[in-house]
Amino acid sequence: MTDIRGVVLGALRRPDTGEYLVQRLSGTDDTHFHRFIGGGIEPGEPSDAALEREFREELGVAVDAGPAFCTVENLFEFGGESHHEFAVVRAATFVDDVLYDRETFAGVDGADGERIEYEAYWRSLADLRAADAPFFPAGVADAVAADGHVHVVSPQEADVDAVGGDDD
């Protein structure tokens, strides 16, 4: 198991449709999944500053980080390895309102020395819950829709079942 990692994810909502900006990432075994945009929190860095930095680094856009919707204890398996992260899911807004008119964004994540390119687009929470591709961490769509702050424990089984993590 790797170390426990702190991450922040941005729930950036399109004002006119209520859809959220999500990234489409490759899973294992020719699958894909969705997730809010974000990434690792550096030691000594507040989660709001980390979220604003991650959007600049990955999409080249400025956002203002808002309040936290939820925290997630995310236990998952990816690439044959077990992972454990604590995620803060925060509201976010674009600094430049014209960005809400864009349908897609090209993103680049440089985590752990790997360059991962992805597409980001708008989806409703209902679409994310019903989609053929899972939305991770499990339970976040429900937490964002709830009133008040929620703590979610996303079990490892949710990830394995959804993205074919069985390596047999």
Side-chain angles (χ1 to χ4, degrees):
M1 179 182 280
T2 60
D3 293 335
I4 296 175
R5 180 175 175 222
V7 300
V8 63
L9 303 171
L12 197 149
R13 187 172 180 265
R14 197 180 217 179
D16 60 338
T17 66
E19 296 170 310
Y20 288 86
L21 188 63
V22 296
Q23 58 186 169
R24 181 185 189 273
L25 296 167
S26 296
T28 58
D29 304 328
D30 297 323
T31 63
H32 69 276
F33 62 94
H34 296 108
R35 182 174 169 127
F36 286 138
I37 296 163
I41 300 170
E42 300 296 328
E45 182 182 40
S47 65
D48 58 343
L51 183 64
E52 292 169 359
R53 176 183 50 75
E54 287 290 336
F55 269 83
R56 275 191 317 275
E57 290 176 358
E58 293 188 19
L59 296 180
V61 300
V63 298
D64 286 326
F69 282 112
C70 68
T71 53
V72 182
E73 185 171 357
N74 191 18
L75 308 168
F76 62 100
E77 189 170 311
F78 191 78
E81 291 186 32
S82 294
H83 298 271
H84 190 167
E85 67 184 13
F86 282 95
V88 178
V89 181
R90 301 184 72 99
T93 56
F94 282 130
V95 170
D96 183 354
D97 287 343
V98 76
L99 292 172
Y100 290 108
D101 295 332
R102 288 181 55 185
E103 293 302 318
T104 62
F105 296 80
V108 177
D109 188 356
D112 303 324
E114 270 187 67
R115 181 179 165 90
I116 300 168
E117 295 181 13
Y118 64 86
E119 180 181 32
Y121 42 71
W122 303 100
R123 293 291 181 266
S124 70
L125 291 178
D127 287 344
L128 291 168
R129 287 185 191 112
D132 58 346
F135 180 63
F136 290 125
V140 168
D142 293 333
V144 169
D147 287 333
H149 186 87
V150 176
H151 178 76
V152 175
V153 176
S154 181
Q156 186 169 348
E157 301 81 44
D159 180 61
V160 172
D161 292 343
V163 296
D166 187 10
D167 291 332
D168 291 343

